[in-house]
Amino acid sequence: MKRKKLRLLSALLVLALFVTALPQSAAAASFTDVPENAWYKDYVYDLVGQGIIHGTSETTFSPDGKLSRAQLVTMMAQSALSAEDLKQYTFQGDFKDVTTSHWAYRYINWAYEAGIVSGVGNSLFKPDSPVSRQDMAVMLVNFSKATGRQMTAIRDAVSFTDSGKIAGYAANSVRICQRAGVLSGDTEGTFRPKSTASRAEAATMYSNFLKRCNFHPDYKITRKRILGTAVRAVEFSGSTYSPQLVLGHDRVTGSESAASVVERTGAKIAVNAAFFDLDSYVPLGTLIKDGRVVTVFDQYAPARSALVVDSAGKLSIRNFSTSHTVTLHKDDGTDSVLNNVTVNRWPSSATDATRILYTRDWGTSLGFPARDAVILDENGLVTYVTHYADAEIPEHGYVLAQRSRRTYEGDFFDSCKVGTVLDIERRFEGDNTEDMMISIGAGPRLVKDGVVYGGIDTYRAEGYTDPNITTYSAVRMCLGIKADGSIVIVSSYTTLQQLSKVMVSLGCTDAINLDGGGSANLYVNGYWLRGPQGRPLNTILIFK
């Protein structure tokens, strides 16, 4: 009985020190075991003043005491979470040795969910074990990624005499921390990776980290729970970066990994965009790139929502339909007209008589034998006519083709000959379609005018009937727009209905769902908030 009472007293003391203790100001704190000339004095009082670390009593700090893994996580959480944030983590987590009776369980739940810690194996975290110096480095680097702090190199790299003893999983983190001025070796040039960190060392390292590793000025990263939903998000000003739509290998039906697109474009922020057919890689939405229509998918227009960027770089969510009409001016003074011409699509079969305009966004040739194909230059002048054959697509111009003829075909293709001119008229019908440099047919729309928008019925009207999209929880990607033009990109495993509420809580006035599941990728300046997934993508929205 006496031993149980001692254990309870010890647990209560730790809880008081790391959870409920009121922050002491640097002026108020005066520890008898922290000498005036101690090398760690300023670092200790810096963290005490911020309420990040506390003494082991009102008058002692215990600088030589060992810092536990739970205590380090708590320090991080106290500098990243509000009291309201912390309430989101009141649940039994995945570690068998961290139950809801442990004083730090909420902090550990947050750190695990945010990717800061991963445990020691066998579903164990060992919260009360002293943290090693190399594990502290790993946690700090992970914490910097999860909170958007930049660990900029300010020192030359150092080769520690015991670098061979640094575990492989920790070597890069140790290097990053050393170059960022967060940690250093001892006077003999050793790092002592497996030695346990003292409270004085931990205070020094963490104080240096907070002072030298600032948040990036151009964006804000969030990894925490919102409305009970684990969120990975980035927010940035709409005027900071220029948006661009990238097609996989610059083709309408192209496929390319997110990592490849980021590397070749130099994107600062990148997110997967439109849905696409996994077999053909045909986009399941109308796409506009650099002001030109690169493909049309009007099956659910104008109900299907689109993310639009105008010539000033402003983002909005719009609903519209797209149509093309091609007119042939014949020699006898009459016209022959084709309505409902689409752009850059595969014919559904050998008997499909859809009239389709092809550009170099499709490729260098049609890729199928066309019953009729008319090659035009950029001004609409017919330069070649062919039948029952594939056709090369000019670099600057078009091919108007159909795979098969209709029962009531008309005389359009029979009247086309070299030297005649075709007029191509494009029309948008819908809200505010005058200025669209980029459009990504995605959806469904989740937020409109600052409130949750729609539900099952509106999702289905936009063409989404699969319950994996409309009803069940899944990995989601969503882009939201705030009233001031700020952009918020969120990834979360949740339902569309719950994601709508999250976007509203983040201050979005409009929000649209993007492709998710195995396509979900979100990259921010060297850090993958989601991914990179192995599945090649059809479209990616980047910001540079």
Side-chain angles (χ1 to χ4, degrees):
M1 175 67 77
K2 186 175 181 180
R3 183 175 298 174
K4 288 183 178 179
K5 288 182 178 179
L6 288 174
R7 288 177 178 173
L8 177 60
L9 178 62
S10 175
L12 290 173
L13 176 60
V14 172
L15 180 65
L17 290 174
F18 284 91
V19 181
T20 62
L22 294 175
Q24 287 181 283
S25 68
S30 180
F31 298 124
T32 58
D33 56 355
V34 179
E36 283 294 319
N37 61 349
W39 56 269
Y40 51 79
K41 171 196 165 188
D42 291 342
Y43 305 110
V44 168
Y45 288 136
D46 172 43
L47 295 187
V48 169
Q50 297 182 61
I52 294 172
I53 198 169
H54 308 286
T56 52
S57 74
E58 291 185 0
T59 58
T60 59
F61 180 73
S62 302
D64 296 325
K66 299 304 181 183
L67 191 80
S68 73
R69 290 165 55 82
Q71 289 168 355
L72 178 58
V73 166
T74 300
M75 289 168 60
M76 294 175 175
Q78 287 182 330
S79 59
L81 298 179
S82 68
E84 286 299 312
D85 291 335
L86 190 60
K87 292 178 181 178
Q88 302 280 320
Y89 296 92
T90 305
F91 56 85
Q92 176 60 52
D94 293 341
F95 296 118
K96 294 185 294 187
D97 57 348
V98 182
T99 66
T100 55
S101 62
H102 193 281
W103 65 270
Y105 82 100
R106 291 179 297 175
Y107 300 110
I108 295 170
N109 285 345
W110 161 76
Y112 178 66
E113 202 166 75
I116 297 168
V117 298
S118 58
V120 296
N122 297 320
S123 298
L124 299 175
F125 182 70
K126 294 188 177 181
D128 301 316
S129 296
V131 63
S132 68
R133 287 167 55 81
Q134 66 180 5
D135 282 354
M136 184 180 292
V138 172
M139 290 186 196
L140 282 174
V141 170
N142 289 342
F143 179 69
S144 73
K145 293 176 180 178
T147 56
R149 289 182 176 270
Q150 306 298 295
M151 300 192 76
T152 304
I154 61 173
R155 294 178 178 173
D156 293 334
V158 170
S159 179
F160 296 113
T161 58
D162 57 352
S163 60
K165 297 180 180 179
I166 300 174
Y169 71 84
N172 190 51
S173 295
V174 171
R175 180 187 63 81
I176 291 172
C177 288
Q178 181 270 316
R179 296 207 65 192
V182 172
L183 58 78
S184 60
D186 57 26
T187 55
E188 298 178 355
T190 59
F191 177 67
R192 298 179 288 115
K194 297 181 181 179
S195 296
T196 53
S198 70
R199 287 168 53 82
E201 289 175 327
T204 300
M205 185 182 294
Y206 200 64
S207 177
N208 281 332
F209 172 82
L210 294 179
K211 289 177 181 176
R212 296 173 181 174
C213 302
N214 298 315
F215 295 109
H216 197 284
D218 293 335
Y219 56 79
K220 173 187 174 183
I221 287 180
T222 297
R223 285 200 67 170
K224 65 180 182 181
R225 288 200 164 209
I226 299 174
L227 301 179
T229 301
V231 165
R232 310 177 188 193
V234 60
E235 179 178 343
F236 53 98
S237 169
S239 61
T240 301
Y241 299 110
S242 298
Q244 297 178 24
L245 173 60
V246 179
L247 307 178
H249 292 297
D250 298 322
R251 291 291 181 262
V252 170
T253 58
S255 63
E256 187 174 1
S257 72
S260 172
V261 170
V262 167
E263 182 178 1
R264 76 177 174 92
T265 63
K268 292 296 183 183
I269 297 173
V271 61
N272 58 283
F275 288 83
F276 57 93
D277 183 277
L278 282 172
D279 294 323
S280 65
Y281 269 75
V282 172
L284 300 179
T286 295
L287 300 178
I288 298 174
K289 185 178 187 294
D290 300 327
R292 67 181 186 277
V293 175
V294 296
T295 188
V296 173
F297 183 78
D298 258 14
Q299 185 173 348
Y300 302 100
R304 176 160 289 190
S305 300
L307 176 66
V308 172
V309 183
D310 65 18
S311 56
K314 181 180 178 181
L315 277 71
S316 62
I317 299 170
R318 306 182 194 176
N319 297 80
F320 62 91
S321 61
T322 307
S323 65
H324 288 77
T325 299
V326 180
T327 302
L328 166 65
H329 303 293
K330 295 187 291 186
D331 292 339
D332 62 5
T334 62
D335 295 336
S336 184
V337 180
L338 297 183
N339 294 306
N340 302 315
V341 176
T342 191
V343 178
N344 288 333
R345 311 295 296 186
W346 282 111
S348 61
S349 68
T351 59
D352 186 352
T354 303
R355 282 72 181 263
I356 309 171
L357 273 172
Y358 291 94
T359 69
R360 272 297 180 93
D361 292 308
W362 179 258
T364 57
S365 67
L366 300 182
F368 62 89
R371 170 60 178 82
D372 305 289
V374 181
I375 294 82
L376 320 171
D377 69 11
E378 57 191 313
N379 298 312
L381 179 69
V382 176
T383 61
Y384 190 71
V385 178
T386 185
H387 306 281
Y388 301 104
D390 197 349
E392 182 178 343
I393 303 172
E395 185 174 357
H396 303 288
Y398 312 87
V399 173
L400 174 64
Q402 58 182 11
R403 183 74 189 270
S404 177
R405 286 200 168 187
R406 305 180 180 194
T407 303
Y408 302 101
E409 176 62 31
D411 65 349
F412 184 94
F413 283 98
D414 288 336
S415 299
C416 287
K417 60 183 181 181
V418 174
T420 56
V421 175
L422 305 184
D423 289 336
I424 302 172
E425 180 187 2
R426 181 187 67 190
R427 292 191 307 277
F428 296 122
E429 296 181 2
D431 53 285
N432 191 18
T433 57
E434 291 79 13
D435 181 12
M436 296 192 294
M437 296 302 295
I438 295 174
S439 181
I440 302 170
R445 188 173 192 154
L446 302 183
V447 178
K448 185 176 183 179
D449 299 327
V451 298
V452 171
Y453 174 80
I456 298 296
D457 290 341
T458 60
Y459 304 161
R460 288 175 176 170
E462 292 198 40
Y464 300 102
T465 57
D466 187 340
N468 289 311
I469 296 176
T470 63
T471 307
Y472 304 146
S473 291
V475 177
R476 311 286 185 185
M477 301 298 303
C478 185
L479 187 146
I481 306 164
K482 290 188 171 184
D484 64 359
S486 296
I487 299 165
V488 183
I489 305 176
V490 170
S491 177
S492 180
Y493 183 87
T494 187
T495 64
L496 288 183
Q497 293 86 347
Q498 180 66 10
L499 185 55
S500 302
K501 298 174 184 177
V502 168
M503 301 308 289
V504 170
S505 73
L506 288 170
C508 297
T509 56
D510 291 282
I512 187 171
N513 182 60
L514 303 175
D515 193 5
S519 298
N521 286 269
L522 179 54
Y523 171 87
V524 183
N525 198 24
Y527 176 46
W528 290 92
L529 272 174
R530 177 73 70 181
Q533 307 279 21
R535 175 188 295 172
L537 302 179
N538 179 246
T539 57
I540 295 183
L541 178 65
I542 70 168
F543 297 85
K544 295 177 66 177

